[in-house]
Amino acid sequence: MKKLDEGELFGFDYRYEKGDVLRFYRLKTIIGTDENEGTVFIGVKDIDTQKRREIEMKEALFKDSLTGVKNKSAYSNTEKKMNALIKEKICEDFSVFVFDLNDLKKINDNFGHDEGDKYIRSGSSLICKTFKHSPVFRIGGDEFACILKDSDYENRVQLKKQIREQIEYNKQHGCVVIAVGSADYLPNEDNCLLDVFKRADKEMYEDKNRLKNS
């Protein structure tokens, strides 16, 4: 009403939910002049199709086309948001997991990139099935990252054990093999997400060497 008193056109987009049905609308208001002075005109437009298209386009920008998980741009976006929380010292506990697929180059060289793509999708699927409640990012050709919070964070030790047991089984049966490393956020030591990532990445490379030599 304050904006209307100032003679401005005022409006906003909103969602309307009824049961399982969700639709998007745009509301606009303007105050009348001359003979309509003091009258408020309200218009409502159904923008559901337009809004859903915008959402799909935005999601596509942050989705890896090969695996369907979040891409490197999405990771960078998440990193900026978390760095702001860390700087303000209001960031919740979290853990970073880093994954690297072993022998992707060998598969590409010997069997072709189609088989390499299948290998990448298989690795992505294993990570997603293990960390069901956490965002998974493909941050490189054969490298993935996952940021654990809430229930996955609380169960991180068990989840790490679970995926490593599966990897050992895969190694014996010719399936996808993934090196895994992780690190917890230390509020009194870490100044940004990269600090946590570096520790997880270091452990991942140690695990990669272990898998190759075992």
Side-chain angles (χ1 to χ4, degrees):
M1 293 304 297
K2 182 180 178 182
K3 286 183 178 293
L4 290 175
D5 287 340
E6 295 170 353
E8 295 185 24
L9 174 68
F10 178 68
F12 56 87
D13 296 346
Y14 66 95
R15 300 183 306 174
Y16 176 74
E17 272 186 89
K18 186 175 182 180
D20 295 331
V21 179
L22 169 68
R23 292 191 72 83
F24 293 90
Y25 294 90
R26 176 169 293 152
L27 182 144
K28 287 187 178 181
T29 61
I30 191 169
I31 196 163
T33 57
D34 300 330
E35 69 273 11
N36 292 315
E37 186 176 355
T39 302
V40 176
F41 294 93
I42 300 173
V44 177
K45 181 180 180 182
D46 186 327
I47 59 167
D48 193 71
T49 301
Q50 173 190 337
K51 201 69 177 179
R52 290 183 187 278
R53 188 178 297 117
E54 290 174 2
I55 292 170
E56 288 173 2
M57 290 175 66
K58 186 175 181 180
E59 288 178 347
L61 290 174
F62 295 105
K63 181 184 288 187
D64 177 57
S65 59
L66 178 62
T67 63
V69 302
K70 297 178 184 295
N71 61 17
K72 192 172 183 178
S73 294
Y75 183 85
S76 297
N77 196 39
T78 299
E79 185 175 19
K80 289 176 184 176
K81 292 178 180 178
M82 294 188 69
N83 283 347
L85 296 175
I86 292 170
K87 185 177 180 180
E88 294 294 324
K89 299 190 182 302
I90 55 173
C91 191
E92 298 178 353
D93 290 336
F94 69 90
S95 182
V96 174
F97 274 63
V98 178
F99 311 90
D100 190 276
L101 278 59
N102 280 19
D103 299 324
L104 177 62
K105 186 177 185 304
K106 188 184 294 184
I107 292 170
N108 283 332
D109 291 345
N110 294 333
F111 304 104
H113 285 276
D114 285 345
E115 288 301 316
D117 288 348
K118 289 180 183 178
Y119 194 74
I120 292 170
R121 284 194 292 266
S122 179
S124 176
S125 177
L126 174 55
I127 296 167
C128 290
K129 285 178 181 177
T130 306
F131 303 93
K132 297 177 181 178
H133 308 292
S134 301
V136 176
F137 306 85
R138 186 183 177 201
I139 57 175
D142 56 1
E143 191 172 6
F144 293 79
C146 187
I147 299 175
L148 277 62
K149 297 180 182 178
D150 302 324
S151 61
D152 274 2
Y153 173 79
E154 293 170 5
N155 298 316
R156 63 195 183 282
V157 174
Q158 179 59 34
L159 291 173
K160 189 174 184 178
K161 180 183 177 184
Q162 178 183 324
I163 195 169
R164 280 189 164 169
E165 287 177 349
Q166 183 63 52
I167 290 163
E168 288 298 332
Y169 174 88
N170 287 1
K171 193 171 185 292
Q172 299 301 320
H173 293 80
C175 300
V176 63
V177 176
I178 308 172
V180 182
S182 70
D184 296 339
Y185 166 58
L186 305 175
N188 297 322
E189 297 181 24
D190 296 320
N191 296 312
C192 60
L193 180 62
L194 182 60
D195 290 342
V196 190
F197 182 93
K198 284 180 177 178
R199 292 199 303 276
D201 200 47
K202 182 175 182 295
E203 185 182 271
M204 181 275 291
Y205 275 104
E206 291 171 354
D207 190 48
K208 194 173 185 70
N209 290 330
R210 179 188 65 82
L211 287 167
K212 285 184 176 181
N213 296 323
S214 62

